[in-house]
Amino acid sequence: MNLFFGKKAKVTPKDSIVELRNTLQMLEKRETFLQTKIDNELKIAKANAAKNRRAALMALKRKKQYEGQIEKISGSRLTIETQVMAIENANVNLETMKAMRAGAEAMKGIHGAMDINTVDQIMEEIRDQVELANEISDVISQPVGFGVEMDEDELAAELDELEQEELDQKLMPPQIGLPSVPNHEPEEEDEEEAELRELHKSMAM
């Protein structure tokens, strides 16, 4: 049987909604057409109510038939619109469930590689490493004496002495002394310079 007719393609929710909406448009056009017919028959009935009663009655009968068709079309439209809304809601629910299932699978894949014991162990290792880093920072930040041991008390005492000396100098009154006399001793004249001086004197005579 399938050799002649082939396998029927699976209808998707989107295809169903498109088909139903096309049907709604066709019914709306049919309803508009029938309403035009009703208006025309009503005009005929009014025009022949006094002069041709038979023609007026026939027009009213056709009007009733058209109104009956419109009622059926209205019922069909309501059914199709309800079906469209149901399919849309079902499709939204389906897509929501797919997204939630994908999220659950992703979380399962993430948590599959770890458990609470593994997490606790990792956190303990992190705390140990942070504590070790803090200890190393404390050691590095301490001043290094390069083998020279310093007595803090001795340094403090020396600093006190320096401060006391500076204070004494500030409190001591200034001493006014006599101007110093330069002590210049005559330098011995060099023999060559003496000869040169004597030569100049002899040339001047």
Side-chain angles (χ1 to χ4, degrees):
M1 193 72 175
N2 291 335
L3 294 176
F4 296 98
F5 297 99
K7 189 176 180 180
K8 188 176 181 180
K10 185 178 179 180
V11 180
T12 64
K14 183 178 180 180
D15 295 335
S16 298
I17 292 173
V18 171
E19 185 66 25
L20 290 171
R21 291 195 182 280
N22 290 335
T23 304
L24 280 174
Q25 292 179 358
M26 182 267 295
L27 292 175
E28 289 174 359
K29 291 179 180 179
R30 178 64 179 172
E31 188 175 357
T32 302
F33 172 76
L34 291 174
Q35 187 61 48
T36 303
K37 289 285 189 181
I38 290 172
D39 295 338
N40 290 333
E41 296 299 334
L42 183 59
K43 290 180 181 179
I44 294 173
K46 288 180 178 180
N48 293 285
K51 59 182 179 180
N52 191 346
R53 188 176 178 83
R54 181 180 175 82
L57 289 174
M58 291 298 295
L60 290 176
K61 286 182 180 180
R62 288 191 298 269
K63 173 178 171 292
K64 287 291 183 182
Q65 289 177 348
Y66 294 147
E67 288 176 348
Q69 292 183 26
I70 284 181
E71 280 188 27
K72 292 179 181 179
I73 291 174
S74 297
S76 298
R77 286 182 57 189
L78 180 60
T79 301
I80 293 175
E81 288 172 354
T82 303
Q83 192 174 10
V84 169
M85 287 189 294
I87 293 174
E88 288 177 342
N89 290 335
N91 191 44
V92 169
N93 293 336
L94 177 62
E95 295 299 326
T96 302
M97 288 302 300
K98 287 181 179 179
M100 294 174 66
R101 184 180 294 111
E105 291 296 329
M107 293 181 66
K108 187 185 297 183
I110 294 172
H111 294 154
M114 66 178 70
D115 55 17
I116 189 63
N117 294 328
T118 303
V119 174
D120 287 340
Q121 182 179 356
I122 292 174
M123 294 305 298
E124 184 65 26
E125 292 176 357
I126 291 175
R127 284 190 289 268
D128 292 342
Q129 292 302 317
V130 171
E131 184 177 354
L132 177 59
N134 291 333
E135 292 177 358
I136 292 174
S137 297
D138 292 340
V139 172
I140 293 175
S141 62
Q142 292 178 359
V144 178
F146 296 101
V148 179
E149 296 183 0
M150 299 183 182
D151 189 348
E152 297 293 336
D153 294 336
E154 182 179 350
L155 293 176
E158 185 176 352
L159 180 60
D160 291 339
E161 292 179 1
L162 293 176
E163 292 177 350
Q164 186 62 42
E165 289 179 2
E166 184 177 358
L167 181 61
D168 293 341
Q169 290 179 0
K170 290 181 179 180
L171 296 177
M172 184 181 298
Q175 295 181 357
I176 301 175
L178 297 175
S180 59
V181 178
N183 184 14
H184 294 291
E185 295 182 357
E187 297 179 359
E188 295 183 358
E189 192 174 17
D190 190 81
E191 293 181 359
E192 293 180 354
E193 292 179 354
E195 292 179 1
L196 182 60
R197 185 167 58 80
E198 292 294 335
L199 180 60
H200 285 168
K201 288 180 178 181
S202 60
M203 291 177 63
M205 290 180 177

